[in-house]
Amino acid sequence: MRLELYRYSSQKDSTLGLLYLVDNETNHKNFLCFSLEDEKRETKVYGETRIPEGSYQIKYRKEGGYFTKYKKRFPNLHNDKRGVLHITDVPNFEFILIHCGNTTEHTHGCLLIGDVISQNVNKEPFLGQSSNCYKRVYPIIADVLDVQKHLSIKIINFEEI
């Protein structure tokens, strides 16, 4: 299994995407949720730039502010075994997490997930039902990570094809 993120709308301040869980053998894709990221930039600006297209590893992160906050906010999900989902080995980026949030103000260069999203063509996007989505999607991803011991995410800029 792997994750695939299809970015379908990139605008001045935001990027919208669709996150899937993909079976490596059959290539069958299961839709998980919508995503919201910062905009594409040629020169990285800390906390305001989406990560580059490519494939990256996802690992647990069990230190830092988000882990502490999410361990309290979602005690049934996060513990000493399961940290927050950390997208690793991205050149020039650190501490990229998959987490809750509703607007680009909440992204900080990370990947936000939610069950409802508004368009970003002529207004700022809003990602809704993010906490409920996180409570639903996190266990799916964590279960795969626990069984496989490694998990990748492939990010595809569909909006540029």
Side-chain angles (χ1 to χ4, degrees):
M1 301 295 266
R2 69 184 181 276
L3 295 174
E4 288 187 354
L5 175 64
Y6 294 93
R7 292 173 169 154
Y8 66 88
S9 182
S10 181
Q11 299 299 324
K12 185 180 98 171
D13 293 321
S14 63
T15 302
L16 306 181
L18 304 165
L19 185 63
Y20 289 85
L21 182 64
V22 182
D23 185 299
N24 288 333
E25 294 178 19
T26 65
N27 208 35
H28 179 78
K29 295 171 177 53
N30 289 308
F31 175 74
L32 294 177
C33 59
F34 295 100
S35 69
L36 175 62
E37 299 174 85
D38 285 312
E39 69 271 20
K40 177 182 179 180
R41 295 176 186 267
E42 296 305 318
T43 303
K44 182 186 182 305
V45 175
Y46 177 79
E48 295 184 21
T49 307
R50 73 182 193 189
I51 63 176
E53 181 177 41
S55 292
Y56 307 101
Q57 292 300 306
I58 295 179
K59 298 178 181 175
Y60 291 125
R61 180 169 168 77
K62 299 177 206 159
E63 59 274 329
Y66 267 93
F67 177 63
T68 302
K69 182 168 106 175
Y70 276 38
K71 194 173 178 181
K72 290 178 186 172
R73 184 174 175 188
F74 304 109
N76 294 332
L77 300 179
H78 297 290
N79 52 45
D80 293 332
K81 181 182 173 197
R82 286 184 165 179
V84 291
L85 299 170
H86 180 198
I87 302 172
T88 64
D89 303 320
V90 180
N92 303 314
F93 287 75
E94 291 184 310
F95 312 122
I96 303 164
L97 305 176
I98 298 173
H99 64 85
C100 301
N102 302 113
T103 69
T104 56
E105 295 296 316
H106 303 140
T107 59
H108 307 294
C110 295
L111 178 67
L112 303 182
I113 59 173
D115 284 331
V116 178
I117 196 155
S118 64
Q119 54 89 8
N120 67 345
V121 176
N122 60 1
K123 63 180 182 173
E124 289 295 313
F126 182 83
L127 184 66
Q129 300 179 18
S130 187
S131 294
N132 287 338
C133 175
Y134 188 84
K135 288 187 276 189
R136 179 179 56 78
V137 170
Y138 176 88
I140 295 168
I141 296 172
D143 287 348
V144 171
L145 185 56
D146 289 348
V147 169
Q148 293 184 172
K149 305 299 181 208
H150 64 84
L151 179 64
S152 66
I153 183 169
K154 183 176 182 181
I155 300 172
I156 301 156
N157 293 337
F158 185 71
E159 88 275 34
E160 296 175 1
I161 294 177

